[in-house]
């Protein structure tokens, strides 16, 4: 099979972790006789440097020509420290999500039992945690009307959703819940926000109509943040709007020990997906060989599963990562001792296991 993969490495540690996932991809392609066709595109700060656009048309074309997109990370301190910059790296990500229609963000948060000691919360609370976040990605406050007025003395962002946007993401949530434990928790702020009351009503209607055999619960976002820390095992699938999903999935990511371990998939209606680690460009460790490449490598596994119909490769890769961790291979973020592996050494060990 020919696998056409778009490679958007981005900024900071993005290129470092993407490089390792490509090595793993090539190794698996060789082992299972798949021809890998890679095409690169610029995104983020590096794209602004060249095109003054964080997601230029050239890169969009590369994405359209691919079966799956591997995305590293974007972001650069020169923009983080300049809130007035008109063109910003993160605009590239939002533009890309919108142009490719990537409305469904899946973030599995699974604890590796051999890494329990790295979690900031007690082992007995976190052991067994396996949550799938289903986050709406192309609507809500990140895409609503925004601006400044009154001579720059007033700023606003608007949270907007229409019924169809909520139904299509809720469907994804229920469908994945069906494949797991049939338990879906929808998170909102229905006590204060009209948009949240609309979410609650729309998700409940869909549940009654098409998914009544599943268990649906609702939880306020602030309580959900607490419950994720107190008793993460109560959750299976969490459905959330763009903003709440962003914040809550990062809280959950921290529970597992390191954000460097968590992959994500962003899918459109044709399941052409963008696969990226949950972390950002980590400028504090960029160029120091400290980045954990496993979030990116596990994102590759999600690409096999959700866009390329190669579940067996995904299973093989997931198994190899579990084996690698059990063998004690650690980058600094998950190492207890002063000795740890470099980014590329982790990928090298993983490839040995895969062979
Ligand atoms: P971050 O995720 O980049 O880093 C947070 C912390 O986690 C840092 O201490 C970092 O060293 C550590 N970390 C992150 N990934 C790691 C990995 N693979 N291995 C080991 N340690 C890792 O978040 P931030 O510091 O808030 O943001 C930095 C930049 O990234 C900003 O410009 C931000 O806008 C951008 N960002 C981009 C994305 C994205 O591309 N999707 C997501 C979040 C943040």
């Amino acid at each position: 099979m020919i696998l056409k993969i778009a490679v958007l490495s981005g900024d900071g540690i993005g290129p470092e972790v993407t490089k390792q996932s490509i090595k793993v991809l090539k190794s698996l392609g060789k082992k299972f006789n798949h021809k890998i066709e890679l095409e690169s595109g610029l995104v983020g700060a590096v794209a602004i440097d060249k095109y003054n656009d964080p997601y230029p048309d050239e890169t969009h074309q590369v994405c359209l020509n691919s079966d799956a997109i591997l995305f590293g990370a974007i972001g650069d301190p020169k923009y983080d420290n300049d809130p007035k910059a008109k063109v910003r790296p993160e605009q590239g990500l939002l533009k890309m999500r919108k142009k490719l229609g990537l409305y469904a963000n899946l973030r599995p948060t699974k604890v590796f039992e051999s890494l329990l000691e790295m979690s900031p919360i007690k082992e007995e609370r976190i052991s067994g945690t396996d949550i799938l976040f289903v986050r709406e990605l192309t609507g809500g406050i990140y895409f609503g009307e925004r601006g400044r007025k009154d001579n720059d003395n007033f700023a606003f962002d608007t949270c907007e959703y229409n019924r169809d946007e909520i139904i299509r993401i809720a469907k994804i949530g229920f469908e994945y819940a069906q494949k797991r434990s049939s338990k879906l928790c929808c998170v909102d702020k229905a006590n204060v926000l009209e948009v949240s009351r609309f979410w609650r009503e729309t998700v409940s209607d869909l549940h009654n109509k098409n998914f009544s055999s599943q268990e649906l619960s609702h939880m306020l976002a602030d309580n959900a943040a607490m419950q994720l820390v107190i008793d993460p095992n109560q959750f299976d699938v969490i459905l959330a709007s763009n903003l709440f999903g962003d914040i809550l999935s990062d809280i959950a990511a921290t529970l597992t020990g390191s954000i460097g371990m968590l992959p994500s998939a962003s899918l459109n209606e044709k399941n052409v997906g963008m696969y990226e680690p949950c972390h950002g460009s980590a400028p504090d460790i960029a160029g120091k060989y400290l980045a954990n490449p496993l979030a990116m490598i596990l994102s590759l596994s999600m690409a096999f599963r959700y866009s390329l119909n190669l579940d067996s490769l995904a299973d093989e890769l997931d198994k190899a990562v579990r084996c690698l961790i059990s063998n004690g291979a650690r980058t600094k973020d998950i190492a207890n001792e002063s000795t740890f592996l470099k980014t590329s050494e982790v990928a090298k060990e993983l490839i040995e296991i895969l062979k």
Side-chain angles (χ1 to χ4, degrees), residues 13-229:
I13 62 167
E16 299 170 29
V17 294
T18 308
K19 187 173 169 191
Q20 304 312 319
S21 73
I22 298 298
K23 285 187 200 164
V24 172
L25 171 63
K26 285 183 175 166
S27 148
L28 278 168
K30 198 168 166 195
K31 181 170 171 185
F32 291 96
N33 254 330
H34 295 298
K35 188 165 179 253
I36 315 285
E37 290 183 1
L38 302 173
E39 203 178 347
S40 303
L42 293 179
V43 70
V46 286
I48 298 176
D49 289 346
K50 180 155 183 201
Y51 297 101
N52 197 35
D53 182 345
Y55 183 61
D57 287 345
E58 288 80 352
T59 303
H60 186 54
Q61 275 313 319
V62 170
C63 293
L64 290 178
N65 291 338
S66 70
D67 302 318
I69 304 154
L70 290 182
F71 184 100
I74 54 168
D76 189 293
K78 74 181 171 201
Y79 297 99
D80 295 336
N81 299 331
D82 177 10
K84 294 215 159 160
K86 288 252 168 350
V87 187
R88 314 184 57 80
E90 53 275 20
Q91 289 164 348
L93 199 48
L94 297 184
K95 189 171 162 193
M96 179 176 177
R97 287 172 183 165
K98 202 71 178 176
K99 282 185 90 166
L100 293 168
L102 302 170
Y103 71 93
N105 184 220
L106 307 180
R107 288 185 173 206
T109 302
K110 200 170 175 168
V111 169
F112 287 82
E113 294 295 312
S114 48
L115 286 180
L116 281 179
E117 58 183 4
M118 298 309 299
S119 174
I121 68 168
K122 291 187 181 122
E123 289 188 20
E124 60 270 26
R125 288 193 179 178
I126 191 76
S127 176
T129 293
D130 181 359
I131 304 171
L132 177 68
F133 279 88
V134 177
R135 167 188 167 199
E136 202 289 325
L137 205 57
T138 51
I141 198 161
Y142 290 3
F143 290 93
E145 203 188 326
R146 73 190 55 192
R148 302 240 181 149
K149 54 187 188 181
D150 292 350
N151 273 337
D152 215 21
N153 287 311
F154 185 99
F156 64 98
D157 293 273
T158 321
C159 185
E160 296 166 9
Y161 272 111
N162 67 45
R163 199 178 294 278
D164 289 346
E165 284 174 318
I166 301 171
I167 289 176
R168 69 177 180 176
I169 192 69
K171 261 189 189 160
I172 300 265
F174 283 121
E175 280 163 13
Y176 280 104
Q178 217 152 24
K179 292 182 194 156
R180 295 166 57 104
S181 71
S182 287
K183 235 173 84 178
L184 182 126
C185 177
C186 180
V187 167
D188 59 40
K189 278 293 283 179
N191 52 341
V192 272
L193 300 177
E194 191 54 39
V195 175
S196 282
R197 285 192 278 276
F198 184 51
W199 259 77
R200 223 177 243 224
E201 172 195 311
T202 308
V203 173
S204 297
D205 284 351
L206 181 70
H207 174 247
N208 289 337
K209 237 192 264 165
N210 297 341
F211 297 97
S212 56
S213 62
Q214 297 192 38
E215 190 185 320
L216 169 67
S217 60
H218 301 277
M219 195 179 280
L220 297 177
D222 35 2
N223 186 25
M226 278 198 302
Q227 294 300 328
L228 276 168
V229 178

Side-chain angles (χ1 to χ4, degrees), residues 13 73-75 80 93 259-260 276 279-285 292 333:
I13 62 167
I74 54 168
D80 295 336
L93 199 48
I259 198 162
E276 61 169 328
H279 61 75
S281 58
D284 54 332
I285 57 167
N292 187 336
D333 55 312

